[in-house]
Amino acid sequence: MGLKLVTLNKKQRTIIEVGDLMIGEKPVVIAGPCSVENMRQMARIAGFVKERGAHILRGGAFKPRTSPYSFQGLGVEGLKILKKVSKRFEIPVVTELMDTKDLKKVSRHCDIIQIGSRNMQNFSLLKAVGKAENPVMLKRGMNATIDEWLNAAEYIMLGGNENVILCERGIRTFETKTRNTLDLSAVPILKGLTHLPVIVDPSHGTGKKSLVIPMSKASFAAGADGIMVEVHNCPESAKSDGDQSLTLKEFEKFMKEIEGWL
Amino acid sequence: MGLKLVTLNKKQRTIIEVGDLMIGEKPVVIAGPCSVENMRQMARIAGFVKERGAHILRGGAFKPRTSPYSFQGLGVEGLKILKKVSKRFEIPVVTELMDTKDLKKVSRHCDIIQIGSRNMQNFSLLKAVGKAENPVMLKRGMNATIDEWLNAAEYIMLGGNENVILCERGIRTFETKTRNTLDLSAVPILKGLTHLPVIVDPSHGTGKKSLVIPMSKASFAAGADGIMVEVHNCPESAKSDGDQSLTLKEFEKFMKEIEGWL
Amino acid sequence: MGLKLVTLNKKQRTIIEVGDLMIGEKPVVIAGPCSVENMRQMARIAGFVKERGAHILRGGAFKPRTSPYSFQGLGVEGLKILKKVSKRFEIPVVTELMDTKDLKKVSRHCDIIQIGSRNMQNFSLLKAVGKAENPVMLKRGMNATIDEWLNAAEYIMLGGNENVILCERGIRTFETKTRNTLDLSAVPILKGLTHLPVIVDPSHGTGKKSLVIPMSKASFAAGADGIMVEVHNCPESAKSDGDQSLTLKEFEKFMKEIEGWL
Amino acid sequence: MGLKLVTLNKKQRTIIEVGDLMIGEKPVVIAGPCSVENMRQMARIAGFVKERGAHILRGGAFKPRTSPYSFQGLGVEGLKILKKVSKRFEIPVVTELMDTKDLKKVSRHCDIIQIGSRNMQNFSLLKAVGKAENPVMLKRGMNATIDEWLNAAEYIMLGGNENVILCERGIRTFETKTRNTLDLSAVPILKGLTHLPVIVDPSHGTGKKSLVIPMSKASFAAGADGIMVEVHNCPESAKSDGDQSLTLKEFEKFMKEIEGWL
């Protein structure tokens, strides 16, 4: 692969500080809705998940949707809501960046910048966040090999930003019972190849909320540094990904089930 | 899917008795070499793994090999070795059946009959073991959907043999860092759809012995009823699958690492 | 790959004689229903396709079906129908063998023995037909690499039977618009690697009869030695694969469209 | 899918005018190197392919490379070379756009804007070229379903730019003999679903120059509106994709072999 930065200082794992959090040292839980829909929804979810132990809030303001006729996200308005909620509930936020031209705005309104699966090889975007101050959560492309994924991380790190979190979120296979096939073998492989923290997204990785608890436990057992789950106060009316979102009540159960791993 | 037998008595999980073992009730460890090579090798491995807590011994007498020039297994001679070792060390054995004409011999010399991945849709073979006395371990085809796998189980059960153990062993994807992509989501999905025990084979599922411990833990965390691992007293000289086999010493470590799950 | 027989006499392509046909020398058309259903159906189809120029009749007596509750074929009764129809209309037949124990019967009732996709790595079956007198049509497994496929051919040839026809029939991918993804690149690759004839099955390869004509033309353009298509006198009431079968009228149009390639 | 624009005026196919060319009416050949390397190289290739009958020149100025340590393209300098060569040899050019911020520059220097596979779901980029004057060649993502691909086209057309050319370039599967698996079934499927021109890229689709001629013929036989091939005056020293590039001499042979299709 010819990677330099990703595998550089293997003896010392990368620990990413976000406020009081030390990602890579202690397992984290990232929770929140697929899309930021309005202030009321975000405040409700943020308050709830924070109180039950979530460490980071997720929520998309810019949404990469397969169809142009689907909800595309609130954009800057969504970023502002995230920022306010983050302050009010004292919880850091991660949100997706889709276009280099929005980097400044996204950077100012969130703690961690997410690069989504569909943009894992959007090299202009990778180079741009390589210059950002924020840590970057790089989701695996749904058809990306581990080598390609690490090369994408290298694009970011080569720009000077070595705070990269890798997020396994399932790959595309022939199996149709799940939305994607969660590749948990990637976790120990990555822990062996790189010094970067690795988290798992079982919500997108399986597309079924009934699988979130067992696959989260399996992820921790495989060595993951954290889990990102979708939570919505009202999944059936969510503007995106309702099927795979936990309700608030289900999230409460989820936290109890995994508390031994935190 | 139109399945009847597999999903019939959901309220009551199938428990398969093999000697004192109750597969489906308490997690089991199946260990042994890919191929039966000779009596000395099998006795060495069987004695070792039994003492460290393995519940069942594995070993192939008939070997499905991609190339006709590769070692094809000892055949009936291998079955006899298995039987003797099984008696001597008081450990049940599982071995693969590849041809309907060998059913009687295989049936007499082992406790559990394995149907391998490449034969998961060898319907003649499925029908034949549906009439056998022995429990059947049905490995997932490397390109089989969960629906196809359950239909294959149905072929066996329809013949009258309801003692079927499902074994996830990885599916074929584009990723080349692992031999196959271990699909652990299949475990909770199957536990929800069927009453049959589900075990996982991380040795074939990943092809790398360094992944056996983390992926075994992850399998148990996902709800698996057991693990099947390849163990060889001298992997570098093994006649097949040396790369993915644990040494005896590594197996000892493996058992310590997973003991909390047993 | 270490293949010997498949790549042995590259300078001289294998030509397989079946009656007056020389498969590998001039493109052939194999046509017929998925399953042999009854004498009337077979006679109707055989007479029709023979008159329009088909060279070989296909029809399954033993059917590998995903579900045990689906029609499993007429068995020996089907073989007898095939044989009678073959004589009456003076057209050779190809039919699938699924179990080593049926080899003699199948061998006597047909001209070419088909090994189906699901049995491409049923090594006992491959070894058995390696001893047969009949030419063998070896379909590609739906998850088989070209290397594995050639190794399967090698199993047959090593037994002494060098009359092997390779049949590309689509591989399993993530795309769901087609039943499988027809891998036409395999045709020129195989023509370069082996001396064996290569034919294509666009019916199973796509699962859609609307694609049969364009993909047949594409197959010939890529260098295929023949095409196998499903034809049924009444697809909507066919016991299997009705959706992908051409009607008699459509077959007539098909033959006109491809006549420039024959 | 809920598509509107892509399937709007099915009775009338979209014909895209580029200078004197009518793409969608008569098959076209697009040829050129992977990357623009310098003026001398481009002039040599452009002159040669134009004289042998190529209709459009290709060449990348911005290169999406897996590794950040690989040649990233000449950027604006490359665009200028393309423009000059285009004028001098009177041949339209197609080149890739990777970042919304470069749209104006790319737009001014080329005739057709290419959206590459890795950016097929870079929705910001799709929206941007939806406002451009130039026709857009949209390559299929290597893991994109046909539905996702058409939705990506819809993003562009919804912006007002209905001059979209779809380019099949292979999908990612388990087969390793080819770089990708060229999905030629996509051609007749797309011709049935949309009114847009469909071309095929056998160079990237197979990764092997020995397959370019047979797969180009197969593409035309399947109904493609054109072929895009990589040609380099000195493939062994090419800065990218040397293995799959035809030499000038091979391109000459290629044009002779396919002339019946033009």
Side-chain angles (χ1 to χ4, degrees), chain C residues 95-99 102-103 106 113-116 119 125 129:
Chain C
T95 199
E96 181 165 353
L97 172 69
M98 286 176 61
D99 194 330
D102 299 317
L103 175 56
V106 169
I113 298 173
Q114 176 178 318
I115 299 297
N119 282 316
L125 200 59
V129 296

Side-chain angles (χ1 to χ4, degrees), chain A residues 1-5 63-70 72 98-102 118-119 121-125 127 141-145 147-148 151-152 154-155 158 172, chain D residues 1-5 63-70 72 98-102 118-119 121-125 127 141-145 147-148 151-152 154-155 158 172:
Chain A
M1 290 189 287
L3 296 172
K4 294 169 200 168
L5 296 165
K63 298 300 306 171
R65 304 302 301 280
T66 299
S67 165
Y69 304 113
S70 300
Q72 305 279 312
M98 287 176 62
D99 194 329
T100 53
K101 75 173 162 45
D102 299 317
R118 289 166 186 76
N119 281 316
Q121 291 193 316
N122 179 339
F123 300 114
S124 298
L125 200 59
K127 287 176 181 174
M142 64 186 98
N143 72 325
T145 63
D147 278 1
E148 290 167 341
N151 269 291
E154 195 85 356
Y155 265 97
L158 203 56
R172 187 162 266 186
Chain D
M1 292 190 285
L3 297 171
K4 292 171 201 166
L5 297 166
K63 296 302 304 172
R65 305 301 301 279
T66 299
S67 165
Y69 304 113
S70 300
Q72 305 280 311
M98 287 175 63
D99 193 330
T100 53
K101 74 174 163 45
D102 299 317
R118 289 165 187 76
N119 281 317
Q121 291 194 316
N122 179 340
F123 300 113
S124 298
L125 200 58
K127 287 176 182 174
M142 64 186 97
N143 74 323
T145 63
D147 279 0
E148 290 167 341
N151 270 289
E154 194 85 357
Y155 264 97
L158 204 55
R172 187 163 268 187

Side-chain angles (χ1 to χ4, degrees), chain B residues 65 69 143 154-155 172, chain C residues 65 69 143 154-155 172:
Chain B
R65 304 302 301 280
Y69 305 112
N143 74 324
E154 195 85 357
Y155 264 98
R172 186 162 269 186
Chain C
R65 305 301 302 278
Y69 305 112
N143 73 324
E154 194 85 357
Y155 265 96
R172 187 163 270 186

